[in-house]
Amino acid sequence: MSAGTYTPRPGAAPLPRMIAAQTALETRMLLRNGEQLLLTVIIPTLLLVLFSAVDIVDTGSGASVDFLAPGILALAVMSTAFTGQAIATGFERRYGVLKRLGASPLPRWALMTAKTLSVLVTEVLQIVLLTVIAFALGWSPHGNPFAVLLLLVLGTAAFSGLGLLMAGTLKAEATLAAANLVFLLLLVGGGVIVPLEKFPDAVQSVLGLLPVSALSEGLRDVLQHGASMPWAEAGILAVWAVLGLGAAAKFFRWE
């Protein structure tokens, strides 16, 4: 046996392994948080079941679940990529977690990549759960699966950028209040449950430019009406994604 066989070889793990480990950690932390579970799973599920079973809002012709399911999927994306991520990242920044992680062998861009991947993993679980429930309620979707996937990815990018921008510029308490307030406002006025046609014409044009409205209407066009690709809504989401991620990269403060 040659000398040095058991000599330690200190050094950072390969970058893909570090990102995978951080992604797994971020996902576990997200799923163990009771408030995050309330936002990401319980509220969307309750809204889908309640408004599908009880005729509270006029959703037009056809089954209520056909209108509601796409909007609830958009709400699920917003709750995880924006609200949940903003609050969690904001308090990590306050407690100095981000500062310490930023000094670790894991590059800062890789940390943000891991956070985004954990959001995607959580969204997959959300979408599977909500889809199963919607099918049980009689949902009959149709349309281009690629268009649905593209809209969900663009929506995730848009909401992630906005969530990280909020978490990286505001204090943790302000982020908590603002993120929850925005969630409630967009839930009511973003076309998730109440059709945009129910709002005055002057308001509709403004609400239609919101990311949750674009995602809701885009998913509804594909899954309910069978559109091939709602390019207008995809374009709105792409603009929000570029602006949000660009602003977050420029203005995010780690301390």
Side-chain angles (χ1 to χ4, degrees):
M1 183 178 296
S2 61
T5 301
Y6 297 103
T7 301
R9 299 180 59 187
L15 186 58
R17 188 185 303 173
M18 288 193 292
I19 294 177
Q22 188 66 31
T23 299
L25 175 62
E26 296 283 348
T27 303
R28 289 196 299 270
M29 291 174 61
L30 188 64
L31 295 177
R32 288 175 181 174
N33 190 308
E35 181 183 353
Q36 303 306 320
L37 285 178
L38 178 66
L39 283 171
T40 59
V41 177
I42 299 177
I43 290 179
T45 300
L46 288 177
L47 290 174
L48 177 60
V49 173
L50 175 63
F51 284 92
S52 297
V54 182
D55 189 14
I56 300 176
V57 179
D58 181 11
T59 57
S61 59
S64 297
V65 68
D66 290 334
F67 173 87
L68 291 169
I72 295 298
L73 291 178
L75 180 69
V77 171
M78 181 180 72
S79 67
T80 300
F82 172 71
T83 312
Q85 185 169 218
I87 295 172
T89 306
F91 279 95
E92 286 178 355
R93 175 170 161 256
R94 175 190 176 183
Y95 296 137
V97 175
L98 292 183
K99 181 181 178 180
R100 289 174 173 79
L101 287 174
S104 70
L106 183 68
R108 291 184 175 184
W109 67 264
L111 174 60
M112 291 306 172
T113 300
K115 285 185 173 293
T116 301
L117 291 175
S118 72
V119 166
L120 291 174
V121 171
T122 306
E123 286 180 359
V124 170
L125 298 177
Q126 285 178 286
I127 291 171
V128 170
L129 174 63
L130 292 173
T131 299
V132 170
I133 295 174
F135 276 126
L137 293 171
W139 186 33
S140 56
H142 49 276
N144 184 358
F146 173 76
V148 173
L149 179 61
L150 178 60
L151 288 169
L152 291 174
V153 170
L154 288 173
T156 299
F159 285 120
S160 291
L162 296 172
L164 290 174
L165 175 63
M166 180 178 290
T169 55
L170 301 179
K171 292 184 177 180
E173 293 81 3
T175 298
L176 174 63
N180 283 315
L181 177 60
V182 171
F183 177 85
L184 292 175
L185 292 177
L186 294 183
L187 169 62
V188 175
V192 174
I193 295 176
V194 180
L196 292 181
E197 291 77 13
K198 301 296 182 182
F199 294 91
D201 293 339
V203 179
Q204 286 183 37
S205 58
V206 176
L207 294 179
L209 297 176
L210 298 175
V212 70
S213 301
L215 184 55
S216 298
E217 292 300 311
L219 291 175
R220 202 166 283 128
D221 285 344
V222 177
L223 295 172
Q224 184 178 12
H225 305 300
S228 57
M229 185 65 216
W231 292 109
E233 285 77 9
I236 293 173
L237 290 172
V239 170
W240 277 105
V242 171
L243 293 177
L245 292 172
K250 183 175 181 180
F251 298 109
F252 192 94
R253 299 195 303 268
W254 290 79
E255 300 180 14

